[in-house]
Amino acid sequence: MDSNKKYWKGLEELNKTPEFVENNKNEFAEPIPIEDVLSGNGLMGKTPRRDFLKAVGFGVGAVTLAACQKVPVHKSIPYLIKPEEVTPGIANYYTSTYDGHAILVKTREGRPIKVEGNPKDILSKGGLSAQAQASVLDLYDVTRVKGPSLNGNDADWNDVDTFVKSELAAIAAQGKQIRLVTSTVHSPSTLAVIADFIAKYPTAKHINYDAVSYTGIIQANQNSFGKAVLPHYNFDKADIIVSFGADFLGSWISPTEFTSQYVQNRNNQSLKNKKMSRHIQFETGMSLTGTNADVRIPVKSSEEGIALVNLYNAIAGTTLPGSKKLTNNAANSAIIIAAKELQQAKGKALVVSGSNDVATQVLVNAINSLLGSYGTTIDLDNYSNQYAGNDAAVSEFLNEVKSGQVGAVLFLNANPAYDLYNAAEFTNALAKVRLKVSFADHKDETAAICNVIAPNHHYLESWGDDNIIDGYYTILQPTINPVYDTRQAEHSLLVWSESTTPDYYTYVKNNWSTNLLAKGGLSGQSGWETLLQTGFVKAAAKPAVGYTFTRDINAVAVTILAQSDKMAASDGKMELHVYQSPAMLDGKRANNPWLQELPDPVSKVTWDNFAAVSQTDIKKLNLAEGDVISIDANGYTIALPVLLQPGQAEGTISVALGYGRTAAGPVGNNVGKNAYPFRQFINATVQNNNIVKVTPTGDNIELAQTQTHHSVEGRNIIRETTLKDYLKDPYSESGKTEDHKSYDLWNEYERPAYNWVMAIDLNACTGCGACVVACSAENNVPVVGRDEVRRRREMHWIRIDRYYSFNSNGKEVTKEREMANLTDMNNVSVVHQPMLCQHCDHAPCETVCPVLATVHSSEGLNHMAYNRCVGTRYCANNCPYKVRRFNWFNYWNDSRFDNYLNNEHTQLVLNPDVTTRFRGVMEKCSMCIQRIQAGKLTAKMEKRPLADGDVKMACQQTCPANAIIFGNANDPESEVSKALKSERTYYVLEELNVKPGIGYQVKVRNVEELRA
């Protein structure tokens, strides 16, 4: 690709705004807050005894005891009789499951501190999402419900059981309906418990409710093939992928699994085989998946259906009734070329849509049937159980509640008072229900209007199982005793069903012994113990077969086109598109500070949602970034700051769901605005689009955005090429063939045993951010909050830089063309680049530290000695990669950060192998030195050399794309040595001759003919 292509992190950098220039020319963006330091909890402030005890660990010890006893004992107790399985200082690992993926849970002294992917997991191959990595923090949330309550008052479990059983009996005797509303249940044992509950109360009915549902796909498969299932998609078997608004790498169905599949045809190994899949994305707002596409075409939400009709016409060689062109001419051309390429890849093609409209999904089925996708890239036989929510059933339930037919409602992992499209109507109607029970572990919006709260365990305290893909079963086992007086929801249902099974553990074990162990070739007690060690069983897969679409597609097209006309905005209004961000998803985890502080992978905004608009629309509305607009539809109004989003379809606004919680907890309350009420119930499904009126309010809000905290200054950071150019000359962009003579001011270091280095494949990295949360969990990285992020003080050791560039269409990029393109932000491409301490051999930070707090090791690592650091920040100023972080406050013991990680319970999640840093100390990536030392110690005790793969970094271990490889460069057979020998390898800013220890591999795009 053009060597003079220009990359920019944000519009401030592209346009060189005065604020950006001023902030980036200063050595430090923020002055030292002398007044803050000298007041409050500063140097002259008194430290409360509670905080002092907390700092030295007594609070931690007390809450550790609370995991075993209902009443905390506030005194230190030594190990007089040590539990057999606990050795102080040595971690234990337990298999478990998170959302159906097999995981490993790391515990220290009986407390879970880290979640890792199980490398044998057949779905994500050991990768985990940011949500999964952050889930361990929820266990220690001090705002969890501490015990059961009855009519707003604390109660014990016996009183709750007596009350609920008597109420259920009375309601059943009256012939009133009982409804159990849950998010999709894919646990075989939980489903069996629910069946027993319904058998006890015949008027009961189970309703699957998903805040973001996939009813459209499930019902379309019922209409098309007689199978009401969610397919299992195989992106790794697709040579060409065409997506219409499906963010399958960020939030759609199973992004962690799909990421693992997607990169199989795009990573280093695939390119060595001279093969790379082709990905074309049509969408409204810039999604994570859109940023990774080879070609991305912005289209309005109302026109996605039209685009699919035109694609069908081009493939089938027909013209469906009502067919018409798109308003975007580039999109019309793209449809024709996409159809041609799909036909050429029959049997290895895949078309997906993020729409929840049944007719749209039926048309997608017809297209995939023409392409021979069923039985190859789409599997309807080994289907997915991840989402089974039925929007029509939920609507029917609401009507039953409004008509007074329902006498009892039980909510399990469902919060419709917040995330139902007509939540206000639902909340009012629920007042008619006699018994309302919530199993929520937080007093969320729905729990707040229930007369019984029977708090459920956290999943790390629970027994259970999962079955998200037909034939694949995982086991859930507790890794700690309940921290609070909670009880597993399934156990409560067993009690209220008057079951003879004493507890849910026995129920799960019996269910496996009777029904599931045999699926994995196991049996008896030994089989049960084997299951607990391996974490899953896999039954033989059913042979995937092809399905032929035989429905009349004409009526389907008419329905789609009619709906498109209704959704098109006019009279000065705009189309609203709501979506899930990869960090927050549906908002259930809004009280998790790790997720709130994780930058959105596209906008890099933290702690907020916003209104993403195009450059054309921001000019029409005479707005600037941060200006607040009022968005109104269906009698519902919210006010959000505007963000100019390159690639946003003109005439549209995109707003993330999952924000605007009012009862999430102190972290998540009143963060952003709730966009769920903008959704509409149309044609028996909930749609994510609406027509809205937009009005500027005159206010301005500064978003906490991390992306432009450091500038590129036009330097050669990103290197990319096309597949065609790569195949012609694999070295074309890495510069490896160029012979540069270099001169060193320092002697080379000797590394007799180990030389730790890293390789990062830009073609594999999708920018999801899972590595950021994994690093925070592993290395005790503090959370600083919205205001500190605004001051450019975020503490993440690894960040994912997002770079925009204008698509050059193969022409020379001149300054005049760049200026011309400033009026059209639709034609941009995106590259994600993980950036962390490069552990340079000639590290510029080391030469300027006056106290030798940062030094080089004999193993090629740049170390930080925290006790030496006096906080001059010279090292941060001299680092060309801007990867060092300064502790402006003692985040772990400062009352201003109580809502984040500064409390006794939450500090239980801290990794004892990594010291927490104090105010005034610089910190940065250590290459997980604690893991390196642990790996060497294990090898020494086992009397063997340290093997390649024994040590994995936290970021490396969680990456579902396997984009990060770490290892010993002294071993020529190590995976990292082989990766760094790739013809695509280059080093960022290698012209500075700081000799970084991290090599990046050139981004390759499969673009040749189709351009936006």
Side-chain angles (χ1 to χ4, degrees), residues 311-608:
L311 181 64
Y312 180 88
N313 289 340
I315 294 173
T318 185
T319 302
L320 295 174
S323 298
K324 56 185 176 182
K325 297 290 185 181
L326 297 163
T327 56
N328 182 348
N329 289 328
N332 290 317
S333 300
I335 290 291
I336 301 302
I337 299 173
K340 177 183 175 182
E341 295 184 7
L342 286 167
Q343 287 175 306
Q344 292 172 346
K346 276 191 175 181
K348 293 185 177 181
L350 178 59
V351 177
V352 293
S353 169
S355 172
N356 197 35
D357 178 64
V358 176
T360 300
Q361 292 295 345
V362 168
L363 181 57
V364 172
N365 290 350
I367 293 171
N368 280 311
S369 180
L370 289 174
L371 298 172
S373 300
Y374 290 98
T376 55
T377 58
I378 304 176
D379 192 345
L380 288 176
D381 298 291
N382 302 287
Y383 49 83
S384 170
N385 297 313
Q386 286 165 284
Y387 294 94
N390 188 315
D391 293 340
V394 174
S395 179
E396 180 186 356
F397 159 68
L398 179 55
N399 291 332
E400 290 175 336
V401 172
K402 290 194 291 186
S403 63
Q405 300 176 46
V406 178
V409 183
L410 294 78
F411 298 100
L412 173 58
N413 197 28
N415 187 14
Y418 161 69
D419 51 33
L420 192 62
Y421 67 95
N422 53 351
E425 182 182 352
F426 166 80
T427 301
N428 294 332
L430 204 61
K432 299 180 179 180
V433 177
R434 174 174 172 176
L435 175 64
K436 300 175 285 290
V437 180
S438 173
F439 294 107
D441 59 356
H442 285 78
K443 193 173 182 179
D444 60 26
E445 290 83 350
T446 302
I449 56 176
C450 291
N451 47 352
V452 176
I453 300 179
N456 197 7
H457 287 337
H458 186 271
Y459 82 96
L460 292 175
E461 304 167 324
S462 304
W463 283 100
D465 47 31
D466 246 325
N467 172 217
I468 61 169
I469 300 296
D470 187 55
Y472 182 56
Y473 301 87
T474 55
I475 191 69
L476 176 70
Q477 59 177 321
T479 57
I480 188 174
N481 285 330
V483 175
Y484 302 115
D485 185 20
T486 57
R487 187 172 73 182
Q488 200 156 350
E490 291 87 346
H491 184 92
S492 294
L493 290 175
L494 288 173
V495 171
W496 301 340
S497 304
E498 298 182 343
S499 171
T500 57
T501 306
D503 51 52
Y504 188 54
Y505 162 75
T506 304
Y507 194 98
V508 171
K509 185 177 180 182
N510 291 343
N511 189 38
W512 274 81
S513 298
T514 304
N515 302 312
L516 301 177
L517 283 178
K519 293 181 182 294
L522 304 174
S523 62
Q525 180 63 24
S526 62
W528 174 251
E529 292 174 0
T530 299
L531 169 68
L532 296 182
Q533 292 173 0
T534 59
F536 64 89
V537 298
K538 177 70 173 71
K542 301 171 188 173
V545 299
Y547 288 81
T548 303
F549 185 90
T550 57
R551 282 198 60 185
D552 177 17
I553 202 66
N554 292 305
V556 172
V558 170
T559 301
I560 292 172
L561 296 171
Q563 184 62 28
S564 295
D565 290 340
K566 290 180 182 178
M567 294 305 301
S570 59
D571 300 327
K573 294 185 177 181
M574 300 181 72
E575 292 183 20
L576 174 69
H577 166 249
V578 296
Y579 66 97
Q580 295 183 88
S581 71
M584 204 50 54
L585 293 181
D586 60 6
K588 281 189 175 71
R589 310 282 301 287
N591 204 50
N592 191 301
W594 282 344
L595 295 177
Q596 290 284 5
E597 194 140 305
L598 175 64
D600 177 83
V602 180
S603 68
K604 296 302 173 183
V605 172
T606 67
W607 293 98
D608 236 325

Side-chain angles (χ1 to χ4, degrees), residues 895-954:
S895 59
R896 283 168 288 193
F897 303 94
D898 267 342
N899 286 350
Y900 309 132
L901 299 175
N902 180 34
N903 59 70
E904 296 95 330
H905 290 213
T906 309
Q907 289 190 1
L908 284 169
V909 83
L910 295 181
N911 185 353
D913 294 330
V914 179
T915 185
T916 55
R917 283 71 64 186
F918 205 78
R919 179 183 58 236
V921 170
M922 189 66 69
E923 62 182 69
K924 53 92 192 176
C925 165
S926 67
M927 284 290 187
C928 293
I929 184 65
Q930 68 280 1
R931 292 191 173 206
I932 295 174
Q933 294 303 103
K936 290 193 289 188
L937 181 59
T938 299
K940 182 179 180 180
M941 291 190 297
E942 295 176 358
K943 298 180 180 179
R944 60 171 178 82
L946 185 67
D948 186 38
D950 281 353
V951 178
K952 287 185 179 291
M953 303 296 93

Side-chain angles (χ1 to χ4, degrees), residues 613-624:
V613 298
S614 69
Q615 183 181 43
T616 300
D617 292 318
I618 209 170
K619 287 182 176 180
K620 280 183 181 178
L621 295 167
N622 195 26
L623 296 171

